[in-house]
Amino acid sequence: MGIDTPKLINFEVMHQRLSPRKNAFKYDVYYLGIPLSLIESKSIAKTLNLNSFGLHSFYNKDHGYRDGSSLKAWLDDMFDAYKIEKPKEVFLISMPRVLGYVFNPVSFWFCFNSKDDLYAVVSEVNNTFGETHSYLTYLDDKDTSGNYVAKKVFHVSPFLKREGYYDFQFSLSDDLIKIRINLCNENKEKILLTSLTGKLDKLSSRSLKKAFFKIPFVTIKSIFLIHFQAIKLLLKNIKYISKPDQMKEHVSRNSIKHNH
């Protein structure tokens, strides 16, 4: 099943920290869901400002090689490097720029093969230090419990060490999307639970304006909540971890070697 029309996705995001102190919160945001072919052909510009300022806009330079070049070429290079079939179509889930500002904690690239089956997901993660890393989840590679497991190799939070493993779960239908990402430590204990549950609606100028008035400045809301939660964690005496140098490789792939 592929999605060939642009969508507005109303997400409920949940974070639950289990260790070393408990902390949980939920919030509502909205994302864009855009077939990559519409970005490449620039036909999405009929609905959304493409590489130009507006109430809502999408810029190529916010993703991929970060130089405004083809995002399809970036994905094709990634899949070629791992000797995996290149996607026939891609459905990108990402926050828009709102009045020129964006911070995307994570964007998801749902990749469909020549049979229109979902066979890979790229989770493009950004931290607040201006760094990015992409986790390629190849859906043929599950562990014995049916989990998609990837080693954590990218520093995101100053309150979590750059170690352990992520468990990914993805579910996509015509009107609903569910994403779960659990962080486990080396002892296979869950440390952090994250979920995104979103309803898919038609993307239009009208739906975007409605979303803006419901959640004004959604991108500023996201970065504010990140820092607000950081203050709460400091007040709970959770140790602050200085950022290590980013690893040379900016893409990594899931593995079936770590069984849960």
Side-chain angles (χ1 to χ4, degrees):
M1 183 207 76
I3 294 183
D4 56 7
T5 58
K7 303 291 184 182
L8 179 73
I9 308 174
N10 296 293
F11 270 118
E12 180 186 76
V13 180
M14 184 280 294
H15 290 272
Q16 184 178 2
R17 179 186 288 263
L18 304 178
S19 174
R21 304 275 195 284
K22 290 186 177 182
N23 186 58
F25 61 98
K26 292 181 180 180
Y27 59 95
D28 294 328
V29 290
Y30 60 90
Y31 275 58
L32 307 174
I34 311 174
L36 182 55
S37 57
L38 300 187
I39 298 172
E40 294 289 307
S41 67
K42 300 183 180 179
S43 57
I44 190 63
K46 299 174 184 177
T47 306
L48 182 72
N49 291 284
L50 183 62
N51 299 314
S52 62
F53 181 84
L55 177 60
H56 294 93
S57 55
F58 178 91
Y59 280 74
N60 285 47
K61 68 181 181 181
D62 294 332
H63 302 277
Y65 289 124
R66 298 301 199 275
D67 59 3
S69 61
S70 167
L71 299 175
K72 182 180 185 302
W74 169 69
L75 280 173
D76 286 349
D77 289 347
M78 185 189 305
F79 280 69
D80 280 342
Y82 286 102
K83 297 179 172 57
I84 299 173
E85 173 193 356
K86 288 183 283 194
K88 174 187 173 185
E89 180 58 285
V90 177
F91 186 64
L92 168 60
I93 298 170
S94 174
M95 294 188 89
R97 282 185 177 235
V98 178
L99 293 174
Y101 177 77
V102 70
F103 175 72
N104 253 307
V106 57
S107 299
F108 300 97
W109 305 73
F110 280 69
C111 301
F112 297 85
N113 61 20
S114 56
K115 298 179 181 177
D116 293 327
D117 294 326
L118 179 66
Y119 77 111
V121 179
V122 176
S123 302
E124 186 184 20
V125 183
N126 298 299
N127 63 23
T128 55
F129 305 100
E131 298 171 338
T132 184
H133 183 88
S134 294
Y135 292 94
L136 169 58
T137 306
Y138 186 52
L139 302 189
D140 276 357
D141 289 347
K142 301 179 183 179
D143 72 1
T144 53
S145 300
N147 298 309
Y148 305 118
V149 179
K151 185 176 180 180
K152 182 182 180 183
V153 295
F154 183 58
H155 181 80
V156 179
S157 168
F159 303 98
L160 288 168
K161 294 180 180 179
R162 189 176 64 187
E163 61 183 36
Y165 294 83
Y166 289 116
D167 280 347
F168 294 94
Q169 295 182 29
F170 304 101
S171 173
L172 177 64
S173 66
D174 289 333
D175 57 2
L176 189 67
I177 181 168
K178 294 182 180 180
I179 300 168
R180 288 200 295 173
I181 306 172
N182 297 332
L183 176 63
C184 305
N185 64 18
E186 298 289 344
N187 297 321
K188 307 176 185 177
E189 299 165 335
K190 291 180 180 178
I191 300 173
L192 179 68
L193 312 179
T194 304
S195 70
L196 298 90
T197 304
K199 294 181 179 179
L200 280 65
D201 296 319
K202 181 180 178 182
L203 182 70
S204 64
S205 298
R206 182 178 179 180
S207 65
L208 279 169
K209 288 177 182 177
K210 183 179 178 181
F212 176 81
F213 286 111
K214 183 178 179 181
I215 310 176
F217 304 104
V218 65
T219 51
I220 294 176
K221 175 182 178 179
S222 295
I223 196 73
F224 169 79
L225 287 172
I226 288 170
H227 289 100
F228 177 70
Q229 293 300 322
I231 293 170
K232 286 177 62 178
L233 295 176
L234 283 171
L235 293 174
K236 291 185 178 184
N237 294 319
I238 295 180
K239 182 181 178 182
Y240 184 93
I241 301 167
S242 297
K243 187 186 80 66
D245 290 337
Q246 186 175 8
M247 294 183 176
K248 183 179 179 181
E249 296 297 329
H250 291 184
V251 179
S252 57
R253 180 182 158 181
N254 61 313
S255 170
I256 60 174
K257 293 180 180 179
H258 186 72
N259 293 324
H260 283 246

